[in-house]
Amino acid sequence: MRPAKISDNFVPPYPNEDASRAARGGAYPPDLSLIVKARHDGPNYVYSLLTGFSNPPADEKPVANKFYNPYFPNHWISMPPPLTDDILTYQDGTPATVDQMAKDVVVFLQWAAEPEMEQRKEIGLRVLIFLSILTTMLYVIKRRIWKNIKH
């Protein structure tokens, strides 16, 4: 045991898949750390999934132990609505609405999928600046070396 580091992986909540299925009524929850990258339009999908729980329309036949969500394939999902209003308190007094918490979850999942993204973008900007300066210098040097050559 040691103090956690920011680079550590998340510890799974269950020791194995069987324990996870037993705790979730037979459904195996996906690893959400890459869900925003794995799905087309992933951040919007996760947000819609978290906020989309509702009562089924009259033409939908209820499925036992499932919850209606129009954003999930086939509209029936084993996961109960994970968010409800006022289940936590923000230090700055932000209202703890389902909408706000879903946005926070999506931002966290985006970070969890690519925690090095900001550093990578900063390095990319530095490389572009360096290459711009190098290109300018090489162009000036080329003009000076070849200025006496006539066509």
Side-chain angles (χ1 to χ4, degrees):
M1 297 299 284
R2 62 169 173 73
K5 296 180 183 176
I6 198 158
S7 61
D8 288 343
N9 290 329
F10 287 100
V11 178
Y14 302 103
N16 57 44
E17 183 178 335
D18 293 334
S20 179
R21 285 185 186 279
R24 301 283 177 205
Y28 184 61
D31 177 8
L32 292 178
S33 65
L34 296 175
I35 193 74
V36 295
K37 288 176 59 178
R39 293 269 183 170
H40 171 70
D41 204 16
N44 289 331
Y45 171 76
V46 172
Y47 174 82
S48 297
L49 194 64
L50 290 173
T51 60
F53 289 93
S54 63
N55 292 325
D59 61 336
E60 286 270 354
K61 185 178 179 184
V63 178
N65 299 322
K66 302 279 185 177
F67 300 89
Y68 181 77
N69 192 318
Y71 302 104
F72 190 73
N74 299 325
H75 301 188
W76 295 98
I77 185 170
S78 295
M79 175 179 74
L83 303 174
T84 57
D85 289 338
D86 300 321
I87 58 173
L88 58 87
T89 304
Y90 286 98
Q91 285 183 332
D92 65 354
T94 302
T97 62
V98 169
D99 180 65
Q100 180 62 49
M101 290 182 285
K103 287 177 185 176
D104 292 343
V105 168
V106 168
V107 168
F108 173 75
L109 290 175
Q110 284 180 305
W111 175 83
E114 295 186 89
E116 72 287 342
M117 180 182 66
E118 289 182 25
Q119 180 184 13
R120 193 176 67 239
K121 286 184 177 182
E122 182 181 323
I123 291 170
L125 180 61
R126 289 181 182 181
V127 167
L128 289 176
I129 291 170
F130 171 77
L131 290 175
S132 299
I133 293 169
L134 181 64
T135 301
T136 304
M137 283 179 26
L138 290 174
Y139 179 74
V140 170
I141 291 169
K142 177 229 174 229
R143 298 285 289 170
R144 285 191 181 174
I145 290 174
W146 296 98
K147 73 178 177 184
N148 294 328
I149 304 297
K150 305 265 185 203
H151 296 294

